C-alpha cells in the first residue's frame, strides 16, 4: 500500500535574513540545517526550495 505525504508551506511575514544580526542568522541557519537533515532522513526531495526574488 502506497501512502502520499503532503507538505504545506505558507508565507510568513517577518524580517529579511539580510536584516538580522549575526547571532540571529546563526540561530536561523542552525534551525534550517536541522530541518534539512530531517527531510533527508525522511527521503523528502527539496528541489522546490529555491531562492525567489
Amino acid at each position: 500500500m502506497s501512502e502520499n505525504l503532503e507538505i504545506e508551506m505558507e508565507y510568513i511575514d517577518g524580517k529579511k535574513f539580510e536584516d538580522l544580526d549575526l547571532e540571529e542568522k546563526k540561530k536561523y541557519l542552525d534551525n534550517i540545517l536541522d530541518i534539512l537533515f530531517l527531510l533527508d532522513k525522511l527521503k523528502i526531495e527539496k528541489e522546490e526550495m529555491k531562492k525567489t526574488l
Side-chain angles (χ1 to χ4, degrees), residues 3-14:
E3 292 185 35
N4 291 329
L5 175 64
E6 294 184 22
I7 297 176
E8 183 175 317
M9 296 185 293
E10 65 182 80
Y11 176 79
I12 299 174
D13 194 28

Side-chain angles (χ1 to χ4, degrees), residues 20-33:
L20 301 175
D21 65 37
L22 185 58
E23 288 305 312
E24 288 176 305
K25 286 179 181 180
K26 287 179 181 178
K27 180 181 132 187
Y28 281 104
L29 286 174
D30 190 47
N31 288 338
I32 290 167
L33 291 173

Side-chain angles (χ1 to χ4, degrees), residues 5-13 35-36 39 44-52:
L5 175 64
E6 294 184 22
I7 297 176
E8 183 175 317
M9 296 185 293
E10 65 182 80
Y11 176 79
I12 299 174
D13 194 28
I35 291 167
L36 291 174
L39 292 174
I44 296 174
E45 295 182 20
K46 298 166 291 306
E47 294 175 4
E48 302 84 16
M49 299 180 74
K50 298 177 185 173
K51 179 179 177 180
T52 57

